[in-house]
């Protein structure tokens, strides 16, 4: 698929992409600088002799990322599967480090929590055509294609009650804003 997707870390919502079919020993999958690549994704050398089919989804995704660290454009399809929220936050930080090395990351996922505080741009792709292109996860058009994060859902719901809250991506910042609004009412 040859689409021009702009940004360093790009979110894509689509069913047009197929997941990587990986088989065999981790040592064979993560070929270049295997120890460093594994460490970067939070695994150690003990994984080198394991068969990927025996690993959890979480560890498979880490192996896939480790195997692609040498690529200029790293495409990760359904990467959030098997990851906890803590894992997702770890990988968001790691993605920002990876792009500082001149890499581009394309995240094809339906888990919008993977995109918040991470992607520069989001695309909805259907039948190999860009249906929607947005810079902000708060864009109302996204709700048609993906379940937005709870923080976005909450902020959008406040508009229905006439309360305009800025677009916060961190829960702590949102709570501070709510507290400031509440203190004005007293």
């Amino acid at each position: 698929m040859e689409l021009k997707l702009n940004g360093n870390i790009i979110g894509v919502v689509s069913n047009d992409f197929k997941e990587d079919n990986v088989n065999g020993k981790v040592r064979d999958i993560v070929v270049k600088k295997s120890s460093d690549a594994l460490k970067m994704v939070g695994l150690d050398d003990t994984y080198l002799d394991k068969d990927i089919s025996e690993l959890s989804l979480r560890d498979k995704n880490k192996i896939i990322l480790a195997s692609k660290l040498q690529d200029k454009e790293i495409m990760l399809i359904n990467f959030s599967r098997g990851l906890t929220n803590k894992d997702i936050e770890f990988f968001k930080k790691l993605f920002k480090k990876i792009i500082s090395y001149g890499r581009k990351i394309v995240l094809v996922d339906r888990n919008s929590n993977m995109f918040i505080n991470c992607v520069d741009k989001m695309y909805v792709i259907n039948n190999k055509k860009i249906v929607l292109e947005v810079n902000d996860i708060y864009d109302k058009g996204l709700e048609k294609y993906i379940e937005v994060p709870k923080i976005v859902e909450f902020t959008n719901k406040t508009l229905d009650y006439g309360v305009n809250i800025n677009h916060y991506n961190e829960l702590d910042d949102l709570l501070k804003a709510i507290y400031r609004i509440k203190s004005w009412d007293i």
Side-chain angles (χ1 to χ4, degrees), residues 69-159:
L69 287 175
Q70 299 299 318
D71 299 348
K72 277 292 198 193
E73 182 173 300
I74 299 169
M75 182 172 285
L76 301 171
I77 301 169
N78 296 324
F79 186 76
S80 68
R81 283 189 350 189
L83 298 180
T84 65
N85 286 336
K86 187 176 178 181
D87 292 331
I88 290 173
E89 292 308 313
F90 167 79
F91 282 108
K92 286 179 185 181
K93 290 175 187 164
L94 180 58
F95 293 156
K96 290 178 182 179
K97 185 176 181 180
I98 291 169
I99 64 164
S100 72
Y101 297 122
R103 305 294 192 264
K104 180 178 188 172
I105 299 174
V106 179
L107 299 169
V108 180
D109 215 308
R110 298 197 73 74
N111 181 350
S112 59
N113 289 320
M114 198 71 202
F115 302 141
I116 196 165
N117 274 348
C118 185
V119 300
D120 305 322
K121 193 169 275 272
M122 288 185 62
Y123 295 89
V124 175
I125 298 174
N126 194 10
N127 294 323
K128 301 179 182 174
K129 290 187 175 90
I130 296 173
V131 177
L132 180 67
E133 176 181 341
V134 297
N135 295 326
D136 187 5
I137 193 133
Y138 279 86
D139 190 291
K140 288 272 195 186
L142 277 175
E143 293 176 358
K144 182 176 170 185
Y145 301 100
I146 194 170
E147 187 176 322
V148 295
K150 295 294 181 194
I151 194 169
V152 173
E153 187 179 315
F154 175 82
T155 303
N156 288 343
K157 191 71 172 166
T158 62
L159 291 172

